[in-house]
Amino acid sequence: MSARDRRRATIEEELRLCRQRMDSASDWIWELDTGGRLTYSNARVRDILGRDPDEILGTVVFDLLAPEDADKCRNIFEQAIGNKEPLRNVVGHYRGKDGATVTLENN
């Protein structure tokens, strides 16, 4: 095995372990692109919203929010992107797959 192949195998193993840790976290861990689309979600979203991670990838996160929160959270997100700041302590009411409302604090 070449040095390059060993390095690739090491990186793949590190990624596997990272995904495993994120999937076992008690929090819903997600990532958005600058358009607000989900580019990553850990498995915890199944327990919280009843949705599979693959089901929500590419979804605009504001579409998962209760209508009364979508515009507020979109404005906060756009301001954070414009200022190149992280989201901090943003409370949103999400709609679970079963229609239930789930209140989450986003950081």
Side-chain angles (χ1 to χ4, degrees):
M1 183 181 274
S2 71
R4 182 177 183 188
D5 290 340
R6 283 192 302 276
R7 181 66 184 143
R8 182 179 303 231
T10 299
I11 290 170
E12 288 173 1
E13 178 64 9
E14 289 171 355
L15 286 171
R16 185 189 68 75
L17 290 171
C18 183
R19 283 188 200 103
Q20 185 179 36
R21 286 183 197 109
M22 288 193 292
D23 282 342
S24 65
S26 61
D27 292 328
W28 177 24
I29 300 171
W30 47 265
E31 182 177 65
L32 304 175
D33 65 15
T34 57
R37 286 176 296 279
L38 286 152
T39 58
Y40 172 80
S41 174
N42 70 345
R44 186 74 169 116
V45 71
R46 284 188 196 104
D47 300 325
I48 295 172
L49 296 181
R51 298 176 186 275
D52 191 71
D54 292 335
E55 174 187 351
I56 64 169
L57 292 183
T59 300
V60 176
V61 73
F62 311 111
D63 294 342
L64 299 174
L65 287 160
E68 61 272 13
D69 277 357
D71 287 338
K72 172 194 81 167
C73 289
R74 184 186 322 271
N75 290 338
I76 292 169
F77 173 77
E78 289 172 354
Q79 184 177 3
I81 291 294
N83 294 333
K84 297 182 180 181
E85 296 174 346
L87 292 176
R88 294 264 190 249
N89 307 317
V90 179
V91 175
H93 300 91
Y94 290 79
R95 292 171 295 158
K97 192 170 189 173
D98 64 359
T101 300
V102 180
T103 303
L104 299 173
E105 182 176 338
N106 303 290
N107 290 294

